């Protein structure tokens, strides 16, 4: 099957797609992005749309709990909001199942996540911190985290957190690769069956390539949350900051 170039990729007829990159506890940026998307949909009278989140809602930033509350509320009210799993969601679940001082959660931002639930997690009190966090996290948050799929596909776009393994059909990707893969995917220049829209690898802005789009613009550090909007063959990048949401045409170099 021939590969598909970003410039030729299209959303399903009559549907507008939004994909949002890694949030990492930045509820302020997420809320700003949602306000901008809702205003666009209302302004343009869009009848059919989807908002796809690419994972990594928790860790590093100041309000992981608030982000999960926000996403659960939106998904409960409208199934057109889709949330995929990132490796940090899996890291939080791993910590809740078997606490470890050397796991992803403790080493890469879980301290901030625990603090958002009112729990102080320190290297010298992992067991006590685990007990406190397990008691503080609502059952609905756990159910949400466990329910997250690892991929979604609409039109000519395939959405996942980290990427895909080159040479393997999109329908047969390993769920572990979808949330963890990096170098093999990022270094691959060949086209896929669909354009892969992902996050996981932070940059300073959305990165558009012929075969993929990386929407991880390091929101927690850059103060910028990125999204891709597609309608028909028209593509835009939205960027939410604490000041405003801006947009630009999305094209390959």
């Amino acid at each position: 099957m021939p590969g598909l170039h970003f410039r030729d990729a299209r959303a399903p007829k009559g549907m507008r797609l939004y994909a949002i990159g890694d949030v990492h506890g930045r509820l302020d940026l997420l809320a700003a992005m949602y306000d901008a998307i809702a205003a666009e949909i209302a302004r343009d009278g869009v009848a059919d749309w989807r908002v796809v989140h690419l994972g990594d809602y928790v860790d590093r930033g100041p309000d992981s709990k608030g982000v999960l509350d926000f996403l659960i509320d939106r998904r409960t009210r409208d199934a057109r909001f889709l949330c995929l799993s990132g490796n940090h969601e899996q890291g939080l679940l791993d910590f809740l199942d078997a606490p470890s001082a050397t796991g992803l959660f403790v080493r890469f931002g879980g301290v901030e996540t625990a603090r958002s639930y009112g729990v102080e997690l320190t290297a010298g009190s992992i067991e006590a911190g685990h007990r406190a966090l397990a008691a503080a996290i609502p059952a609905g948050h756990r159910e949400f985290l466990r329910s997250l799929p690892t991929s979604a596909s609409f039109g000519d776009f395939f959405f996942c957190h980290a990427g895909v393994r080159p040479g393997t059909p999109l329908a047969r990707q390993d769920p572990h690769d979808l949330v963890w893969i990096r170098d093999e995917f990022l270094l691959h220049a060949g086209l896929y069956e669909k354009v892969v829209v992902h996050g996981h690898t932070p940059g300073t802005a959305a990165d558009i390539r012929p075969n993929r789009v990386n929407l991880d613009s390091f929101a927690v550090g850059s103060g910028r949350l990125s999204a891709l909007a597609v309608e028909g063959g028209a593509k835009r990048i939205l960027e939410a900051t604490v000041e405003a949401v801006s947009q630009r045409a999305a094209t390959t170099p």
Side-chain angles (χ1 to χ4, degrees):
M1 181 176 180
L4 184 69
H5 194 287
F6 176 79
R7 66 172 174 260
D8 300 318
R10 300 179 63 87
K13 186 176 180 179
M15 179 186 292
R16 182 181 294 181
L17 295 173
Y18 294 93
I20 301 177
D22 304 38
V23 178
H24 280 303
R26 289 299 302 263
L27 178 59
D28 54 344
L29 301 180
L30 178 61
M33 181 68 79
Y34 263 61
D35 285 347
I37 289 173
E40 285 193 359
I41 290 172
R43 178 196 69 203
D44 299 337
V46 181
D48 193 12
W49 50 267
R50 298 294 186 279
V51 175
V52 183
H53 280 277
L54 302 177
D56 278 9
Y57 316 117
V58 302
D59 297 348
R60 296 193 172 117
D63 199 0
S64 292
K65 177 183 182 299
V67 168
L68 293 184
D69 283 334
F70 185 97
L71 293 176
I72 291 167
D73 174 69
R74 296 312 189 277
R75 196 179 74 165
T76 300
R77 288 195 276 129
D78 197 322
R80 290 175 291 187
F81 295 108
L82 291 90
C83 298
L84 304 181
S85 179
N87 61 313
H88 282 261
E89 283 70 58
Q90 296 195 359
L92 172 53
L93 289 173
D94 289 345
F95 180 79
L96 293 174
D97 290 340
S100 169
T102 60
L104 172 75
F105 183 72
V106 173
R107 294 172 58 223
F108 296 102
V111 171
E112 290 80 7
T113 295
R115 189 170 294 136
S116 75
Y117 287 95
V119 174
E120 288 299 324
L121 189 64
T122 65
S125 61
I126 295 300
E127 292 294 335
H130 169 263
R131 289 192 297 272
L133 184 60
I137 293 182
H141 285 203
R142 294 179 188 237
E143 293 166 4
F144 172 77
L145 294 170
R146 292 194 178 104
S147 75
L148 299 176
T150 54
S151 68
S153 184
F154 294 96
D156 293 330
F157 297 89
F158 182 87
F159 304 93
C160 60
H161 175 62
V164 301
R165 185 163 296 278
T168 300
L170 296 179
R172 292 169 48 198
Q173 290 290 321
D174 185 328
H176 184 270
D177 284 335
L178 293 172
V179 297
W180 282 101
I181 199 169
R182 188 162 270 143
D183 289 348
E184 300 97 322
F185 169 65
L186 298 176
L187 296 175
H188 181 71
L191 301 180
Y192 299 103
E193 306 149 56
K194 298 188 176 189
V195 172
V196 179
V197 183
H198 66 98
H200 186 55
T201 300
T204 57
D207 181 16
I208 304 171
R209 305 292 179 96
N211 60 353
R212 62 181 179 85
V213 180
N214 181 6
L215 293 176
D216 185 356
S217 51
F218 191 41
V220 69
S222 71
R224 182 184 302 110
L225 177 64
S226 295
L228 172 70
V230 185
E231 188 166 17
K235 309 167 186 78
R236 297 173 289 129
I237 295 294
L238 306 179
E239 293 183 335
T241 66
V242 292
E243 292 84 15
V245 177
S246 61
Q247 64 174 294
R248 59 182 171 84
T251 58
T252 51

